[in-house]
Amino acid sequence: MIHAHVTAWFIAIVLFAVALSLHKNGKTKGFKILHMIIRVFYLIIIGTGVGLLSMVYHIDVWYILKAVGGLWVIGLVEMILIRTAKNRRTSVFWFQFIIVFLLVLYLGFIKLPMSIFHP
Ligand code: HEM
């Protein structure tokens, strides 16, 4: 489950970068298709995240913060993609993205106990 979760968000972030570069190069159709594929990944990330949560006996505040942060990152990716498609400013969302993404990585990899590194 944890491998599926990490693989899902990792692929989503890579596709996110590819989608943005397609848009930069004027490839609107490719951008739209990737956006749809990325939305499928949101579902996989949330599904595996909820799956991991269901394995936790005592859900404390760090787990709640991790889940809310993860959902927030997904919301920001979606906002950035939608606003990029409309050629609108995304700086406020990028600012949040960097902070919340780093927080979620810290909580996932360092603070919380499950890990892909020690099975
Ligand atoms: C883009 C969004 C997300 C990112 C970047 C992300 C990132 C991570 C990372 C880095 C880990 C730790 C992997 C490891 O230690 O090997 C993790 C674990 C986990 N994630 Fe996410 N996640 C996201 C979304 C979500 C969502 C939406 C939920 C819940 C609904 C969630 C729930 C969890 C849980 C419960 C764990 C296990 C924590 C533990 O006990 O160590 N994640 N995630």
Side-chain angles (χ1 to χ4, degrees):
M1 187 68 90
I2 192 115
H3 284 89
H5 187 66
V6 174
T7 308
W9 66 252
F10 187 79
I11 294 175
I13 294 293
V14 173
L15 295 180
F16 178 48
V18 176
L20 293 174
S21 85
L22 284 178
H23 187 267
K24 213 173 191 172
N25 295 312
K27 299 198 165 56
T28 331
K29 190 150 191 224
F31 173 85
K32 274 189 184 156
I33 293 170
L34 266 189
H35 192 173
M36 286 193 291
I37 298 172
I38 291 168
R39 283 177 172 150
V40 176
F41 275 87
Y42 299 157
L43 298 179
I44 304 173
I45 297 166
I46 294 170
T48 51
V50 170
L52 287 167
L53 272 182
S54 75
M55 289 152 59
V56 180
Y57 177 66
H58 176 70
I59 296 178
D60 60 11
V61 65
W62 299 110
Y63 273 104
I64 294 169
L65 204 59
K66 170 70 186 60
V68 172
L71 290 172
W72 195 351
V73 169
I74 291 173
L76 290 169
V77 167
E78 183 62 16
M79 285 304 288
I80 291 170
L81 287 172
I82 287 177
R83 290 180 71 92
T84 300
K86 293 180 180 165
N87 292 310
R88 292 173 69 179
R89 272 169 56 116
T90 53
S91 41
V92 179
F93 299 97
W94 275 114
F95 178 72
Q96 292 177 51
F97 177 84
I98 292 163
I99 294 173
V100 184
F101 186 57
L102 289 177
L103 173 75
V104 165
L105 289 186
Y106 166 76
L107 289 173
F109 279 134
I110 298 167
K111 180 85 190 162
L112 293 169
M114 281 185 247
S115 173
I116 49 169
F117 301 112
H118 43 86

